[in-house]
Amino acid sequence: MAAANNDSLVLETPAEVVDARPGSRLMRPVEFVSAVLLVVVIGLLLTGVVSRYVLSLPIVWIDEAASISFLWLAMLGSAIAIDRNEHLRLTLFLGLLPERYRAFVGTLALVIVATVILALIMPAVEYVQEEWFVTSAALNIPMSYRASALVVGLVLMFVLAVGHAVRESTLPHLAAAVVLVAALGLVGWLLSPFFLSLGYLNILIFLVLVVALCLLAGVPIAFCFGMGTIAFILFSTHVPVIVLIGRIDEGMSSLILLSVPIFVLLGCVLDATGMGKAIVEFMASLLGHVKAGMSYVLLGSLFLVSGISGSKVSDMATVAPALFPEMKRRGHKPSEMIALLATGAAMADTVPPSIVLIVLGSVAGVSIAGLFTSGFVIAMVLLVVLAVLARIKAARENMEGVRRAPLGVVVKTLVIAAPALVLPFLIRGAVGGGIATATEVSTIAVLYAIVIGIVLYGGIGLRKFYDMLVETAALSGAILLILGTASAMAWSLTQTGFANQLATYMTDLPGGWFSFMLVSIVVFLVLGCVLEGLPAIVLMAPIMFPIAARLGINDIHYSMVIVTAMNIGLMAPPIGIGFYIACKIGGVSPDEAMKAIWPYLGALIVGLLLIAAIPALSTAYL
């Protein structure tokens, strides 16, 4: 399974494997530039924070300079993710194909990726030419300097995608895949007059069926959206493709999204310094002696660690190795531990800094401060629900030889963990209290984590830090490209007028706002299984949030419901990507874990229905 995203579904690649990758030698300068750009972005934002809050002399050009650097970072990072095969994709159905077909479908997926990129290159060049006549307000330079990142990134991605296709495919498979894609394109072009007459049916054909088929073929999600949207625009409308470039640019470039790569880097720092392990050890010393204590420790650790890393994979990889051996000794079945790990990670994804919440705030125009404040409370509701089930499950837990940790041990682990424990509350307090924006807090949090990591937790070597910067660039590029193509697809969907028709239908549902909430839960559960959180949010938020507003649903309340639903879907077998990652981290067969996870998912759904039915759980503390 390839992994990347929102959430940080990415696994580290050993250096010797990296060196063997197609294009990796070509990409070394690109990786270096990306690492430098990430440092520049953080430096610019820190300078802005100091100038604004310490010196009371805001520097007006910093946001523009950071925006330019950010788009270059996103596009170069997307190219690195192509090189490292780290773009998020669904490979479950590809793995079910017979061996003789699997290789061809894999080649077809690579050809589709290359086709999408090629279709965007010339419109991107035109977009850069148009941006030449637009001057930035503060730096007073042509905006084409910024937009050129789109062309450079697309060209690099095309070269790398073609390189992968040539090296990883047989000539007959490659030729057949190229002919098939070209033939389908020709048929679409010839049938354009017919498609123009179909109206809303084109949404089903291109934005549902084409995207779904690409997903099943293992095409990375960003390029599934790209292929469906390009085909929709080319074959069923008179809209020029250059419009999509503008929408992709807009989807990737919100200033709020500047915090995404910085929180991704924060998760890397957490892993490298052992700050998360310190929190786990403190929780174990505090609760490990009670019945179901290790389950409580696992859930509590996920809750607190998530508040630092913002990454489900980082959370699970930090907590599982530290707790699973003792849980096994106490008689917990491996399948039960994986079930608790996966659902605990889903529970913790509303704890700030959650990249999903940041993206949601950017796309739907919801207060980040409100989301962060509410997210803490909602995660605690789900934590209680899971803890109750864990206690019931632990009725026969073997507690032989388990003793309460001495007070001295508890105090010692608390002192070691205290600097790490402060961080999630610092982030939530600063953003929720309106002291600073999520972007500003992310830079402060990274600086704090690096300094504390160097001083108290063993430090980070220069080589390791450089690798973390490159990995952050790749993961951020993969995330942001999904956001860009999903934004283009969402725009295409809204331009048809379908969204207005859907809004009219939804507002007339019997049962009022709660019926709409139940429909939303089902929609986002399914999308969470298939697409993961970030693309589902970008795709559906522009459609669903206006309907929720018409029905009088508070935007924070609605946000908590759909994010929780998506997280449950992400961990729901047989499709949920997060479930398989949890199995991989815990070393347990998915077939074995699948039988154990349903009661835990049921507990989360009970918690979700409570959150949906009681708006005060989401809004009382705002």
Side-chain angles (χ1 to χ4, degrees):
M1 164 180 284
N5 113 27
N6 128 349
D7 224 317
S8 315
L9 304 182
V10 65
L11 304 178
E12 291 189 4
T13 308
E16 62 271 18
V17 176
V18 171
D19 289 340
R21 289 191 315 268
S24 59
R25 293 184 184 276
L26 167 68
M27 293 302 291
R28 285 174 183 169
V30 177
E31 292 174 352
F32 176 77
V33 172
S34 298
V36 171
L37 283 170
L38 181 55
V39 172
V40 167
V41 169
I42 295 173
L44 286 169
L45 294 174
L46 281 173
T47 302
V49 169
V50 172
S51 66
R52 183 173 298 132
Y53 295 106
V54 178
L55 303 178
S56 299
L57 293 171
I59 303 173
V60 295
W61 53 264
I62 278 184
D63 283 350
E64 279 188 9
S67 176
I68 293 170
S69 303
F70 180 57
L71 185 59
W72 277 93
L73 172 66
M75 294 307 298
L76 296 182
S78 296
I80 296 170
I82 289 272
D83 182 44
R84 297 182 172 207
N85 196 27
E86 289 183 355
H87 280 279
L88 182 68
R89 62 194 182 111
L90 185 66
T91 58
L92 174 66
F93 298 102
L94 187 62
L96 297 176
L97 290 175
E99 184 65 35
R100 62 181 181 276
Y101 298 126
R102 196 180 307 161
F104 171 72
V105 174
T107 300
L108 180 63
L110 288 169
V111 171
I112 290 172
V113 169
T115 302
V116 171
I117 298 169
L118 184 62
L120 293 175
I121 288 177
M122 285 311 298
V125 171
E126 294 175 23
Y127 184 73
V128 171
Q129 292 170 343
E130 288 192 0
E131 289 290 284
W132 178 260
F133 301 102
V134 181
T135 302
S136 64
L139 293 173
N140 199 31
I141 60 174
M143 292 299 288
S144 57
Y145 287 112
R146 176 184 172 281
S148 296
L150 295 166
V151 175
V152 173
L154 288 170
V155 169
L156 272 174
M157 284 190 279
F158 180 72
V159 171
L160 291 166
V162 170
H164 275 291
V166 170
R167 290 175 175 85
E168 298 174 14
S169 311
T170 63
L171 185 57
H173 281 167
L174 183 58
V178 170
V179 169
L180 177 59
V181 171
L184 290 173
L186 179 60
V187 170
W189 183 261
L190 293 174
L191 292 178
S192 289
F194 171 70
F195 288 132
L196 284 167
S197 67
L198 292 182
Y200 290 153
L201 278 177
N202 288 311
I203 296 174
L204 182 63
I205 295 170
F206 296 108
L207 300 185
V208 177
L209 184 60
V210 170
V211 172
L213 289 174
C214 289
L215 274 172
L216 295 178
V219 177
I221 290 176
F223 300 98
C224 294
F225 290 161
M227 176 55 79
T229 308
I230 290 169
F232 177 77
I233 292 295
L234 283 178
F235 303 146
S236 68
T237 75
H238 298 294
V239 177
V241 179
I242 188 176
V243 174
L244 294 186
I245 298 295
R247 295 299 163 179
I248 291 172
D249 182 6
E250 183 179 327
M252 297 172 68
S253 302
S254 170
L255 284 177
I256 295 175
L257 298 178
L258 277 167
S259 58
V260 170
I262 304 174
F263 278 130
V264 170
L265 179 60
L266 184 61
C268 293
V269 172
L270 169 71
D271 288 339
T273 58
M275 294 173 74
K277 184 180 178 183
I279 291 176
V280 174
E281 289 177 351
F282 166 65
M283 293 289 295
S285 70
L286 196 64
L287 297 172
H289 63 282
V290 302
K291 189 172 283 290
M294 297 309 291
S295 297
Y296 299 155
V297 170
L298 187 147
L299 292 172
S301 298
L302 285 169
F303 183 93
L304 291 172
V305 171
S306 179
I308 301 173
S309 71
S311 158
K312 284 189 286 292
V313 172
S314 177
D315 301 344
M316 292 190 289
T318 299
V319 171
L323 297 180
F324 276 15
E326 176 62 17
M327 294 180 76
K328 284 181 181 178
R329 193 195 69 76
R330 297 192 186 189
H332 289 264
K333 295 179 180 179
S335 58
E336 294 284 338
M337 295 188 303
I338 290 298
L340 190 61
L341 178 71
T343 51
M347 166 273 297
D349 203 41
T350 60
V351 178
S354 166
I355 293 174
V356 171
L357 294 185
I358 293 168
V359 171
L360 178 57
S362 170
V363 172
V366 184
S367 164
I368 300 290
L371 291 173
F372 275 20
T373 300
S374 183
F376 246 85
V377 179
I378 293 306
M380 290 181 69
V381 171
L382 299 174
L383 175 66
V384 170
V385 172
L386 288 174
V388 169
L389 178 60
R391 179 64 183 83
I392 295 171
K393 290 274 189 178
R396 298 181 180 179
E397 184 177 15
N398 178 16
M399 300 296 290
E400 183 180 348
V402 177
R403 299 289 182 270
R404 180 192 296 268
L407 180 60
V409 173
V410 176
V411 172
K412 180 181 178 181
T413 56
L414 173 59
V415 170
I416 294 172
L421 285 169
V422 166
L423 195 50
F425 298 100
L426 171 69
I427 293 169
R428 193 206 72 82
V431 177
I435 298 171
T437 67
T439 304
E440 292 167 341
V441 170
S442 67
T443 58
I444 297 169
V446 163
L447 183 62
Y448 172 89
I450 291 173
V451 171
I452 292 298
I454 291 173
V455 174
L456 297 180
Y457 294 97
I460 306 169
L462 287 177
R463 179 64 193 180
K464 176 65 176 176
F465 187 65
Y466 174 78
D467 291 341
M468 286 163 50
L469 292 174
V470 175
E471 185 60 44
T472 298
L475 179 53
S476 301
I479 292 172
L480 292 165
L481 190 62
I482 288 175
L483 299 185
T485 53
S487 295
M489 183 172 169
W491 176 84
S492 300
L493 190 59
T494 56
Q495 292 308 298
T496 63
F498 173 75
N500 291 329
Q501 295 274 354
L502 182 65
T504 301
Y505 171 76
M506 288 287 196
T507 51
D508 292 335
L509 282 174
W513 72 270
F514 195 69
S515 294
F516 171 71
M517 199 70 92
L518 293 177
V519 171
S520 297
I521 287 172
V522 173
V523 168
F524 282 96
L525 276 170
V526 173
L527 289 176
C529 286
V530 178
L531 295 181
E532 208 270 333
L534 295 178
I537 282 176
V538 179
L539 191 60
M540 296 302 296
I543 298 172
M544 303 299 277
F545 270 83
I547 302 174
R550 285 192 194 184
L551 292 169
I553 300 173
N554 181 276
D555 57 358
I556 299 291
H557 177 211
Y558 190 64
S559 298
M560 291 301 108
V561 171
I562 64 171
V563 168
T564 303
M566 283 188 307
N567 290 335
I568 296 173
L570 179 67
M571 298 298 175
I575 300 176
I577 297 168
F579 168 74
Y580 293 98
I581 293 177
C583 292
K584 184 176 181 66
I585 289 172
V588 175
S589 163
D591 293 336
E592 183 182 352
M594 198 177 296
K595 300 173 184 177
I597 199 172
W598 297 112
Y600 295 92
L601 290 175
L604 284 181
I605 290 175
V606 169
L608 172 59
L609 292 175
L610 286 173
I611 295 164
I614 308 174
L617 290 174
S618 304
T619 60
Y621 299 91
L622 300 179

